Amino acid sequence: MTTIIRATGAHDLLAIVPTLAGFIPERSIVCVAFRGTRSAGVLRHDLPRRAAERQAVVSAIVGTLCRMPGVDAVVPIAYTDATFGATGRFPERALLSLLVRRIEQAGFVVRDALCHGVDAWGSLLDPATPANGHPVAMIDESGALSRVPGDARSLGGVADSGRLPTPDDATSRSIAEHLARFDDLERGEAALAELGAEADPVELVEALLEGEPGDQPERRIAWFLHLARRPGIRDAMMLQFGFGPVVGETALDDAFETAAVAERTGETVDQVVRRRHADDPGETVSDLLARLLLGQTTIKPDGDRVRRALDAVRWAAAHAPDGHRGPPLCVAAWLAWALGMGSAAGALLEQAISAEPGLPMAGLLASFIGSGALPEWAFSGPGSDVSDR
């Protein structure tokens, strides 16, 4: 169900932006996009630290807005750790002025242009904005907040999803012990028997989406970490987190079939995929799954599943022993990217590369996400998610 929260003034809009975005903006340039009178999405970029960076950020924002179907109006908002009171100047005036000009040149209506500083807020387009800004208390006391759902008020900053929870030492030790059993051929069979139905990766993924991450059995987390080191299974689980068990099972079957062919023919998995494509230029199952992984489709993943998965996988990565942390961090980075949280994805990938410098998946994702690529589903019409760079 969609919750509609009507903003009657600039301070009301500032009050509900965290709810619209799903995080509390910090050092950000945020654009609330509208289709008519309803919000259509929220774009976020890091606030440029140097004047030379403004042009690139503005161009990226305008380019993204042009790809969002039906968007006709925008409110850009600069969130800064600067103050109005210290200098009596409007913080980020140059950036907002440039952005307003470029957005209007692209054919969009700019309904307002706001700055939220540490001590005050103001409107670039309102000549009545005091030199010291309006008090932040106007936002904190906005009547719009009374209509925000209770579970939407406990939000973290944009970087929070890029951080790992603080691990519990006892839990980490238990997970490491279970992992050692799975890696031991002699003890592995008994360990798998204890998993029961969850030995199946499809069942495992669905179980990981249930309840709170900290309530997950250590054995379940260890099995996920064990499987995440196998690229085909890792990718299948990643897709299942986003698109459901049918896609997960299809991806798993395709991975097993491709691996079996490679073993039988002496080819690599990549060689098998390329040969199949050469033999049949039409789209194969592998091609479809690859497009889902790369976001080259307007089919949207289930946002609620992805958010729950991100919490579970971050928790698993935080408790993973050395040598097992890189793959879950890659999975978490893809999940964050699927939600449009590019900054969080980048932070998770940095941790993956630091944990395992030679991990191929981390390098591939860093190159892809670092290029500024956004999933096509971010532009698939009503309900588009946050785009965060």
Side-chain angles (χ1 to χ4, degrees):
M1 181 179 69
T2 301
T3 300
I4 300 174
I5 306 167
R6 303 194 182 281
T8 57
H11 66 290
D12 290 326
L13 177 61
L14 289 171
I16 65 174
V17 163
T19 301
L20 296 174
F23 56 81
I24 299 172
E26 299 167 342
R27 281 204 50 78
S28 305
I29 181 70
V30 169
C31 286
V32 182
F34 292 87
R35 293 186 187 95
T37 59
R38 301 188 66 169
S39 63
V42 180
L43 313 179
R44 195 210 75 90
H45 287 247
D46 290 336
L47 203 63
R49 293 187 178 276
R50 294 181 293 274
E53 299 172 349
R54 291 173 187 155
Q55 193 68 242
V57 171
V58 168
S59 295
I61 291 171
V62 174
T64 302
L65 288 170
C66 289
R67 295 177 63 192
M68 298 178 70
V71 168
D72 55 15
V74 186
V75 175
I77 308 169
Y79 286 86
T80 175
D81 52 13
T83 62
F84 281 74
T87 62
R89 296 178 180 176
F90 194 101
E92 300 298 336
R93 176 182 292 275
L95 173 63
L96 282 171
S97 297
L98 175 62
L99 184 54
V100 167
R101 185 166 65 253
R102 290 286 303 279
I103 290 174
E104 290 180 336
Q105 288 172 349
F108 300 98
V109 173
V110 176
R111 292 187 174 162
D112 210 337
L114 307 172
C115 179
H116 189 313
V118 173
D119 61 337
W121 68 273
S123 168
L124 183 70
L125 306 185
D126 181 4
T129 296
N132 291 333
H134 299 289
V136 172
M138 289 180 66
I139 301 170
D140 298 335
E141 298 167 3
S142 166
L145 289 174
S146 65
R147 298 184 289 278
V148 173
D151 59 357
R153 298 185 190 181
S154 301
L155 298 171
V158 66
D160 288 355
S161 292
R163 301 190 186 104
L164 299 184
T166 302
D168 174 75
D169 291 341
T171 300
S172 296
R173 285 194 298 270
S174 177
I175 289 173
E177 290 168 2
H178 283 293
L179 262 171
R181 292 184 67 197
F182 291 131
D183 291 336
D184 186 324
L185 291 177
E186 293 184 1
R187 295 189 296 162
E189 188 172 340
L192 282 173
E194 292 171 3
L195 280 166
E198 291 176 17
D200 180 349
V202 175
E203 296 292 335
L204 174 68
V205 167
E206 296 306 301
L208 287 169
L209 293 173
E210 298 174 0
E212 295 297 320
D215 296 333
Q216 297 281 350
E218 285 87 356
R219 183 186 297 112
R220 181 183 294 164
I221 297 297
W223 184 232
F224 168 73
L225 294 172
H226 178 86
L227 293 179
R229 295 208 67 82
R230 282 119 184 103
I233 300 177
R234 175 204 62 214
D235 292 352
M237 293 192 297
M238 205 154 61
L239 285 171
Q240 183 176 339
F241 280 134
F243 298 97
V246 173
V247 171
E249 191 166 355
T250 301
L252 197 63
D253 289 346
D254 184 69
F256 286 152
E257 180 185 349
T258 305
V261 171
E263 184 176 359
R264 186 172 65 250
T265 62
E267 299 170 283
T268 66
V269 169
D270 287 341
Q271 288 172 332
V272 171
V273 172
R274 285 196 294 269
R275 177 169 56 78
R276 282 176 174 172
H277 190 73
D279 294 341
D280 181 7
E283 184 170 71
T284 65
V285 171
S286 296
D287 293 333
L288 173 61
L289 296 171
R291 287 202 300 111
L292 289 175
L293 276 174
L294 294 174
Q296 295 173 348
T297 173
T298 57
I299 301 171
K300 295 187 67 172
D302 184 318
D304 182 58
R305 284 179 66 92
V306 175
R307 280 183 282 272
R308 284 185 285 133
L310 180 56
D311 287 342
V313 175
R314 285 171 55 246
W315 194 91
H319 292 83
D322 292 342
H324 287 83
R325 195 168 294 122
L329 281 167
C330 288
V331 174
W334 184 86
L335 293 168
W337 175 77
L339 289 171
M341 298 189 297
S343 297
L348 291 162
L349 283 175
E350 287 180 5
Q351 295 175 70
I353 293 170
S354 176
E356 297 186 48
L359 189 64
M361 182 62 167
L364 288 171
L365 282 175
S367 176
F368 180 63
I369 294 174
S371 71
L374 293 171
E376 287 297 322
W377 55 70
F379 309 102
S380 60
S384 297
D385 287 328
V386 174
S387 170
D388 157 38
R389 300 306 315 153

